[in-house]
Amino acid sequence: MGIPGGTGRFPANISTFGRYNQGRIDRLRASLTDSGKRVLDCIPVLLHENSPELPGGSTEPHAPCGIACFSYSPFLRDLLAHEFPSFSPPRKIKSKLEIQFIATIGSAGTMAFTSHSDLDVWIGLHRIAMGEERFEQLSEKLRSIELWAAETAGLEIHFFPVDLGDIRKDHYGGMNGESCGTALGKLLKDEFYRTAIFLCGKWPFFWVMPPGTSDADYAFHIARLTGDASFPSDSFIDLGNVHRLSLTEFYGAALWQMLKGTRFPFKSVLKMGLLDAYSSQGRQNMPLCARFKQEVLAGGGPEQSDPYLFMIESLRAYYTEISLVSLRELIEECFLVRGFMGICGSKQRRQSLAGSLWELGGKWGWNETHLRGLQDYFQWDSFKRDNFHKRILKFLLDSYKRIRQRSSNASVRISPQDMTVLGRKLASFLERKNGKIARDLSLLSAQTIAAIEFRQQGSGHLAGTWNILVKAAEGPEYQALSTAENPFVACAWCSRNGYYDGRQRLGIHGRTALIVKEADLLMRSLNSFFPLDEVDTLDVDSLLSQSRATHLYIVPNWHQPQWSHGLGSILVYVRTSIGELFYFVHQGSDCEGWLKNDLLLKRIGVHALSRLQWEVHLLRANVGSTRRTTDSLSRMIRECIVTEKYRHYKSAH
C-alpha cells in the first residue's frame, strides 16, 4: 500500500479532513447559545496566552501556555477586543508551545448533542517533558476556565489533559472520576478518532492515511512522511493506529459501560451495542473509526459525516443481520428519545431538530403514532416508563453476558485493580441493603423535573409508606418514581439521585411535621454535604480499602421538630467510602446514648471517627429549644470524637 509523500491523493485527504472537521465545528457552534459560541471560540486563546486579564491567567510570567500551530485570525482579534478589551495579544513569539492539540470527544457536533450534553475536551501534551509542577499549574488553569465557561454561558466543559505517549499506548490514567484507566484501551481511541473535533493545534496522522492501514505500514508511512520536505509534518502528530480490536479489550469495556449506564443509560445502550457487535465479529471487520474515515474521505453524505448516526446505522445493520429486531428497535428508541428530550433553544431551532428526528424515525419505519409517543416521553405513565427502564437494563445485562462469554478464553486487558474498582462501584450502585438509599436508573434529571411531591399512602392508622412523584416540565401528570419510609428519607432519595436543585416546585401531602420550606432547606443541605459528583469521583484507594463511614448528617427531632423537652427522635444519614448512603432512625428518651454507643462507637467504629465529616441539621431555626438541642448534640459528638481519638492514641503508644 503506497502513500505518496507530497503528491496524489494524500493532499486530498488532508483537505477533505479539513473540510469535514470545520463542518463539525460549525455544527457544534450552531447548537450553542450566543454566549456558548463565544466561550468555545475563546478557549484556544485562553490556553495559548497567559495573562491575569484572561480567565485562567496567572501573574507568573512563565506559567504553562501555548498551542502548536496556533495563529490569530481577524475574527479572533475582534472577539478578544470585544470580550477582553484590556488584553492585547503579545507580539513576542513564545519559546514553548506546550499544548499540541485541543479536541472534543463524544457527541459534540453531532445529532446526538443535546441541551443536557457537556463538552469533554482532550488537551494533548508531553507530560513528562512538562514536569509535574507545570502540569499542576496547567490543570489549575483548566479548572479556572471550566468555571468561567459555566458562569459565563452555563456551558459544562470538562478538560482532560492527556499525555501523547499514553494515548499511543492506549492508557488513560488511573480509574478516578471520569477516567477509564485500563478499561477501554483501543476502544477509547476508536471513539476518539470517530468523534473528535480538532479545535486547535496539530491533526493526527491517522486521519490522512488510507483506511485499513496496518500497524506496520502506519509506522513506515509516518517515518516516510516526516522525512519528506514537501509534507507539512510539523502540523501532524502521531497518536497511534487503530487497525484491529482484540477480544482482550471487550470485557473491561463492558464492565465500564455497565457502570456508565447507571447514570447515562441511553448513551450506554448505544456503546454496549457497539461492544456486542465488535465482540461478535471478532477480527473480521475494520474498527468503526476506520470505516467511518473511509466514508468521510470518500465524500459521503450527511449520515456519513455524523459519527453518531454512522454508529447507529452500523448497529441497526448488525442487529438486523442477526435477526434481533427488538434490539435494533431499542437502539432506535434510545437514540430518538434522548434526542427529543434534549431539544431546546429558539423556536426555529427546536422545530429544526424535531423535524430531523422525525425524518430519521420515519426512515427507520416508525409511524407517526410511535414517533409522537417517543417525543412525549415526559408524559408516559409509570408502567410504560418502568417497562422501558427494564428493557434497557435487560439489554445491558444480556449484552454484558454475551461479551463475557465470547471473551472467556481470551486474556483480559483491564488491570486487576481497575476491575476491582469497577466491581465496587457497580456494587455501590446496584446492591440492595437494608437502610440503603438507592440510586435510581432513571432517564430524568433536575433539569427536566418541574415539580416533586411526597404523598403518604393510606390514611389514619393505615397511613405508612410515602410515594415520591415527579412532574416533568412538559408532562401534565405526576409519575411515581419510588417509595420511602418517611418524607425525610424521600428528601435524601431526591438529593441522592440529583432530582432536586432548588428550582422544582415541592408538595407534601400526609401526616408529617415536615413542611415544604424545611424540605427545601434539607435537600439543599444534603446536596451540599453529599455532592453527587463526589460519589462519581471516588478515589481508587477508598474503593480498594475496606468500606468505612466517611460522612454523617444528623437530623434531630425529625419526628416532632417543635418538641421542647430535649431530644425525642433522631434520623442519621451515613455515607461510606465506596459511595453508599444509608439512613438510621431512632425514637425515645435515649436518642443521645443510641447515637453515641450504637452508631458512633459500634457501627462506625473508633478508627473511622478521626476522619469523619459530620454536621447537625437545624430544623426550625427560629425556635430556641431546637437550637439548644442542636448545640447540645454537637457538643456530645465533638467530645465523643476527641475522647475516642485520645483513647486510640494512648492504646497505640
Side-chain angles (χ1 to χ4, degrees), residues 517-562:
K517 181 180 178 181
E518 293 293 346
D520 170 71
L521 174 62
L522 178 60
M523 284 192 279
R524 289 175 186 268
S525 300
L526 293 175
N527 287 351
S528 177
F529 193 72
F530 301 117
L532 191 59
D533 57 356
E534 278 190 4
V535 178
D536 298 326
T537 56
L538 291 169
D539 63 88
V540 171
D541 290 340
S542 295
L543 287 161
L544 292 177
S545 302
Q546 185 176 359
S547 178
R548 60 179 176 84
T550 58
H551 294 69
L552 191 79
Y553 195 88
I554 304 160
V555 184
N557 286 334
W558 66 275
H559 198 252
Q560 58 266 69
Q562 293 181 332

Side-chain angles (χ1 to χ4, degrees), residues 299-480:
E303 290 175 8
Q304 283 68 41
S305 62
D306 186 313
Y308 258 78
L309 274 183
F310 187 82
M311 177 178 68
I312 297 299
E313 294 296 352
S314 299
L315 293 179
R316 292 184 68 252
Y318 168 69
Y319 286 115
T320 299
E321 181 182 341
I322 62 174
S323 301
L324 289 178
V325 177
S326 62
L327 299 190
R328 185 196 71 199
E329 290 176 346
L330 180 64
I331 294 287
E332 295 168 354
E333 286 177 281
C334 286
F335 184 81
L336 291 171
V337 170
R338 182 175 182 267
F340 283 128
M341 287 175 65
I343 290 177
C344 70
S346 66
K347 181 178 180 181
Q348 181 179 3
R349 172 166 170 71
R350 293 198 306 271
Q351 290 176 340
S352 174
L353 291 174
S356 297
L357 290 169
W358 272 74
E359 182 179 352
L360 186 64
K363 176 190 167 188
W364 290 344
W366 293 87
N367 61 35
E368 183 176 343
T369 301
H370 286 147
L371 284 172
R372 183 72 64 188
L374 296 178
Q375 187 174 20
D376 294 339
Y377 171 79
F378 291 125
Q379 300 180 32
W380 288 11
D381 59 36
S382 300
F383 177 80
K384 186 175 181 181
R385 191 196 65 252
D386 288 344
N387 183 55
F388 193 36
H389 286 194
K390 289 175 182 176
R391 288 171 59 208
I392 287 174
L393 187 58
K394 185 177 187 302
F395 173 81
L396 293 174
L397 288 170
D398 288 349
S399 299
Y400 164 74
K401 291 175 184 176
R402 287 193 293 270
I403 293 164
R404 183 177 61 180
Q405 183 178 15
R406 291 165 187 159
S407 57
S408 59
N409 295 324
S411 60
V412 178
R413 187 185 188 280
I414 185 173
S415 71
Q417 175 175 296
D418 285 351
M419 189 179 297
T420 301
V421 169
L422 273 178
R424 288 214 165 188
K425 284 189 173 184
L426 277 169
S428 170
F429 190 100
L430 296 174
E431 194 173 2
R432 296 293 184 254
K433 298 177 182 177
N434 289 333
K436 181 176 175 179
I437 297 174
R439 294 279 293 274
D440 185 35
L441 177 65
S442 177
L443 311 180
L444 299 173
S445 67
Q447 294 173 302
T448 59
I449 293 175
I452 298 174
E453 284 195 0
F454 305 147
R455 297 178 187 171
Q456 191 175 26
Q457 294 181 7
S459 60
H461 68 282
L462 297 176
T465 303
W466 289 73
N467 292 325
I468 305 171
L469 304 99
V470 302
K471 180 180 179 298
E474 300 179 16
E477 302 293 338
Y478 277 89
Q479 302 177 9

Side-chain angles (χ1 to χ4, degrees), residues 562-589:
Q562 293 181 332
W563 203 54
S564 59
H565 303 290
L567 190 61
S569 63
I570 192 167
L571 184 146
V572 184
Y573 307 105
V574 179
R575 201 182 80 188
T576 70
S577 55
I578 63 171
E580 295 178 308
L581 185 66
F582 295 89
Y583 73 93
F584 303 90
V585 294
H586 190 80
Q587 295 183 54
S589 58

